[in-house]
Amino acid sequence: MKKIIAIANDHVGIELKSCVIEHLKKKEFQVIDLGTNSTERTDYPQYGVLVANEVTTGKADLGILICGTGVGISLAANKVHGVRAVVCSDPYTAQLSKQHNDTNILAFGARVIGSEVAKMIIDCWLEARFEGGRHLTRVEQISAIENN
Ligand code: RB5
């Protein structure tokens, strides 16, 4: 069964999000668009949390976040228990972040990368698989920090 991807962005990410959604739908992923779809200036933390909740409650398998740089919105998402969000500007980091860090949310910046690079990053991330083993031990160590 195709995966469900939750996606959200602030006002800076609207255009790039449309390209991303079109790309994901072509690949037959199911997409949950959590906004914003308004060009009115808004605050990114709420959108980071919307996607984070969707992923950690299992309503979506994975999440994608877009703001100007990808930084603010991923910082917000990473405050939610169980989230491992990564900001990527290159496909290699995206791939390794899944293979070694089991990232469940991918973020990028609409002011940093273009739509073609965004699509490459997404494809590498979605195709990669967590390798487990020694990486699982490390991911578990990260999770343990949340329980301190
Ligand atoms: C909005 O101007 C900008 O600060 C936001 O999109 C993002 O880049 C924050 O990290």
Side-chain angles (χ1 to χ4, degrees):
M1 218 172 75
K2 278 292 182 184
K3 289 199 159 103
I4 303 171
I5 317 272
I7 186 163
N9 53 280
D10 70 1
H11 54 288
V12 183
I14 295 174
E15 219 175 292
L16 184 54
K17 178 176 70 177
S18 317
C19 301
V20 166
I21 290 180
E22 195 187 317
H23 182 68
L24 290 170
K25 285 189 172 165
K26 265 191 207 151
K27 295 194 166 249
E28 291 175 8
F29 286 98
Q30 199 179 315
V31 179
I32 303 172
D33 180 1
L34 297 167
T36 182
N37 288 303
S38 159
T39 51
E40 199 174 314
R41 187 177 300 150
T42 186
D43 299 325
Y44 53 78
Q46 58 190 311
Y47 296 100
V49 170
L50 281 177
V51 165
N53 288 338
E54 211 74 355
V55 171
T56 55
T57 58
K59 290 182 193 141
D61 296 298
L62 295 166
I64 294 180
L65 292 170
I66 311 169
C67 67
T69 58
V71 174
I73 204 160
S74 62
L75 286 176
N78 271 319
K79 295 292 179 194
V80 176
H81 202 279
V83 167
R84 287 177 301 281
V86 61
V87 188
C88 282
S89 301
D90 70 278
Y92 180 75
T93 305
Q95 181 185 323
L96 268 289
S97 82
K98 183 73 82 58
Q99 291 176 340
H100 291 187
N101 316 112
D102 199 20
T103 47
N104 49 13
I105 294 184
L106 172 69
F108 42 80
R111 290 177 174 148
V112 181
I113 58 167
S115 60
E116 293 310 310
V117 174
K119 287 185 233 172
M120 286 175 83
I121 289 171
I122 289 169
D123 289 349
C124 285
W125 188 65
L126 291 175
E127 280 159 27
R129 293 287 168 269
F130 181 50
E131 290 175 359
R134 69 183 191 280
H135 302 297
L136 176 61
T137 309
R138 294 161 186 166
V139 168
E140 284 171 346
Q141 288 169 4
I142 295 172
S143 300
I145 298 167
E146 289 179 327
N147 301 322
N148 283 347

